[in-house]
Short mmCIF file of all heavy atoms in Angstrom, two decimals:
data_model
loop_
_atom_site.label_atom_id
_atom_site.label_comp_id
_atom_site.label_asym_id
_atom_site.label_seq_id
_atom_site.Cartn_x
_atom_site.Cartn_y
_atom_site.Cartn_z
N ARG A 222 -76.91 123.93 -137.24
CA ARG A 222 -76.34 124.20 -138.54
C ARG A 222 -76.00 125.67 -138.72
O ARG A 222 -74.98 126.01 -139.26
CB ARG A 222 -77.44 123.79 -139.64
CG ARG A 222 -76.83 123.73 -141.07
CD ARG A 222 -77.92 123.31 -142.06
NE ARG A 222 -78.48 122.05 -141.70
CZ ARG A 222 -79.74 121.91 -141.29
NH1 ARG A 222 -80.57 122.89 -141.30
NH2 ARG A 222 -80.15 120.64 -141.08
N LEU A 223 -76.82 126.55 -138.20
CA LEU A 223 -76.54 127.96 -138.24
C LEU A 223 -75.21 128.32 -137.53
O LEU A 223 -74.48 129.16 -137.97
CB LEU A 223 -77.69 128.80 -137.59
CG LEU A 223 -77.54 130.25 -137.45
CD1 LEU A 223 -77.46 130.91 -138.85
CD2 LEU A 223 -78.68 130.88 -136.67
N LEU A 224 -74.98 127.58 -136.38
CA LEU A 224 -73.79 127.83 -135.61
C LEU A 224 -72.57 127.10 -136.17
O LEU A 224 -71.51 127.23 -135.62
CB LEU A 224 -74.05 127.43 -134.17
CG LEU A 224 -75.13 128.21 -133.38
CD1 LEU A 224 -75.30 127.60 -131.98
CD2 LEU A 224 -74.79 129.69 -133.31
N GLY A 225 -72.79 126.31 -137.18
CA GLY A 225 -71.69 125.52 -137.69
C GLY A 225 -71.29 124.32 -136.90
O GLY A 225 -70.18 123.82 -136.97
N ILE A 226 -72.28 123.73 -136.18
CA ILE A 226 -72.09 122.54 -135.30
C ILE A 226 -72.85 121.37 -135.87
O ILE A 226 -74.02 121.50 -136.26
CB ILE A 226 -72.58 122.83 -133.88
CG1 ILE A 226 -71.79 124.08 -133.32
CG2 ILE A 226 -72.32 121.63 -133.03
CD1 ILE A 226 -72.32 124.44 -131.95
N ALA A 227 -72.16 120.24 -135.97
CA ALA A 227 -72.85 119.02 -136.51
C ALA A 227 -73.92 118.54 -135.46
O ALA A 227 -73.74 118.69 -134.29
CB ALA A 227 -71.80 117.93 -136.76
N THR A 228 -75.02 117.98 -136.02
CA THR A 228 -76.06 117.48 -135.15
C THR A 228 -75.66 116.35 -134.25
O THR A 228 -76.32 116.13 -133.18
CB THR A 228 -77.24 117.03 -136.02
OG1 THR A 228 -76.83 116.01 -136.93
CG2 THR A 228 -77.84 118.19 -136.80
N VAL A 229 -74.52 115.71 -134.55
CA VAL A 229 -74.07 114.62 -133.62
C VAL A 229 -73.73 115.14 -132.23
O VAL A 229 -73.62 114.41 -131.30
CB VAL A 229 -72.89 113.89 -134.31
CG1 VAL A 229 -71.65 114.75 -134.28
CG2 VAL A 229 -72.63 112.55 -133.62
N ALA A 230 -73.46 116.49 -132.15
CA ALA A 230 -73.13 117.13 -130.92
C ALA A 230 -74.36 117.47 -130.13
O ALA A 230 -74.19 118.10 -129.03
CB ALA A 230 -72.24 118.34 -131.16
N SER A 231 -75.50 117.11 -130.47
CA SER A 231 -76.78 117.46 -129.82
C SER A 231 -76.78 117.07 -128.38
O SER A 231 -77.27 117.79 -127.54
CB SER A 231 -77.99 116.86 -130.55
OG SER A 231 -78.10 117.33 -131.87
N ASN A 232 -76.35 115.81 -128.05
CA ASN A 232 -76.34 115.34 -126.67
C ASN A 232 -75.52 116.23 -125.80
O ASN A 232 -75.90 116.47 -124.64
CB ASN A 232 -75.77 113.91 -126.62
CG ASN A 232 -76.81 112.90 -127.12
OD1 ASN A 232 -77.98 113.28 -127.38
ND2 ASN A 232 -76.42 111.67 -127.28
N ILE A 233 -74.37 116.74 -126.23
CA ILE A 233 -73.52 117.60 -125.45
C ILE A 233 -74.25 118.84 -125.13
O ILE A 233 -74.33 119.36 -124.00
CB ILE A 233 -72.21 117.97 -126.21
CG1 ILE A 233 -71.31 116.67 -126.17
CG2 ILE A 233 -71.48 119.08 -125.54
CD1 ILE A 233 -69.99 116.90 -126.88
N ILE A 234 -74.97 119.46 -126.13
CA ILE A 234 -75.76 120.64 -125.94
C ILE A 234 -76.85 120.47 -124.91
O ILE A 234 -77.11 121.31 -124.02
CB ILE A 234 -76.33 121.16 -127.28
CG1 ILE A 234 -75.21 121.46 -128.26
CG2 ILE A 234 -77.24 122.33 -127.04
CD1 ILE A 234 -74.37 122.68 -128.00
N ILE A 235 -77.59 119.33 -125.06
CA ILE A 235 -78.72 119.10 -124.20
C ILE A 235 -78.28 118.87 -122.74
O ILE A 235 -78.86 119.47 -121.79
CB ILE A 235 -79.54 117.85 -124.68
CG1 ILE A 235 -80.16 118.11 -126.05
CG2 ILE A 235 -80.59 117.48 -123.67
CD1 ILE A 235 -80.71 116.91 -126.70
N VAL A 236 -77.27 118.12 -122.59
CA VAL A 236 -76.73 117.87 -121.16
C VAL A 236 -76.29 119.19 -120.56
O VAL A 236 -76.60 119.45 -119.41
CB VAL A 236 -75.56 116.87 -121.21
CG1 VAL A 236 -74.94 116.78 -119.89
CG2 VAL A 236 -76.11 115.47 -121.61
N GLY A 237 -75.52 119.93 -121.31
CA GLY A 237 -75.05 121.21 -120.77
C GLY A 237 -76.13 122.21 -120.43
O GLY A 237 -76.10 122.89 -119.40
N LEU A 238 -77.11 122.28 -121.34
CA LEU A 238 -78.18 123.28 -121.13
C LEU A 238 -79.03 122.97 -119.90
O LEU A 238 -79.51 123.77 -119.16
CB LEU A 238 -79.10 123.37 -122.37
CG LEU A 238 -78.55 124.15 -123.58
CD1 LEU A 238 -79.52 124.07 -124.77
CD2 LEU A 238 -78.25 125.62 -123.20
N THR A 239 -79.18 121.67 -119.66
CA THR A 239 -80.10 121.21 -118.55
C THR A 239 -79.37 121.09 -117.23
O THR A 239 -79.80 121.55 -116.19
CB THR A 239 -80.79 119.93 -118.89
OG1 THR A 239 -79.83 118.93 -119.27
CG2 THR A 239 -81.74 120.12 -120.08
N LEU A 240 -78.19 120.38 -117.24
CA LEU A 240 -77.49 120.06 -116.00
C LEU A 240 -76.31 120.95 -115.72
O LEU A 240 -75.87 121.07 -114.61
CB LEU A 240 -76.94 118.60 -116.06
CG LEU A 240 -78.02 117.48 -116.07
CD1 LEU A 240 -77.27 116.14 -116.10
CD2 LEU A 240 -78.93 117.60 -114.86
N GLY A 241 -75.82 121.65 -116.73
CA GLY A 241 -74.66 122.47 -116.50
C GLY A 241 -73.33 121.67 -116.76
O GLY A 241 -73.39 120.53 -117.15
N LEU A 242 -72.20 122.36 -116.57
CA LEU A 242 -70.94 121.75 -116.86
C LEU A 242 -70.34 120.95 -115.72
O LEU A 242 -69.63 119.99 -115.94
CB LEU A 242 -69.94 122.85 -117.24
CG LEU A 242 -70.34 123.70 -118.48
CD1 LEU A 242 -69.24 124.68 -118.79
CD2 LEU A 242 -70.51 122.76 -119.69
N SER A 243 -70.69 121.28 -114.53
CA SER A 243 -70.15 120.55 -113.35
C SER A 243 -70.79 119.15 -113.18
O SER A 243 -70.13 118.12 -113.23
CB SER A 243 -70.31 121.37 -112.05
OG SER A 243 -69.55 122.54 -112.07
#
Side-chain angles (χ1 to χ4, degrees):
R222 192 180 303 115
L223 176 65
L224 298 177
I226 303 174
T228 55
V229 71
S231 298
N232 284 351
I233 289 181
I234 298 290
I235 293 170
V236 170
L238 284 176
T239 54
L240 293 182
L242 299 181
S243 294

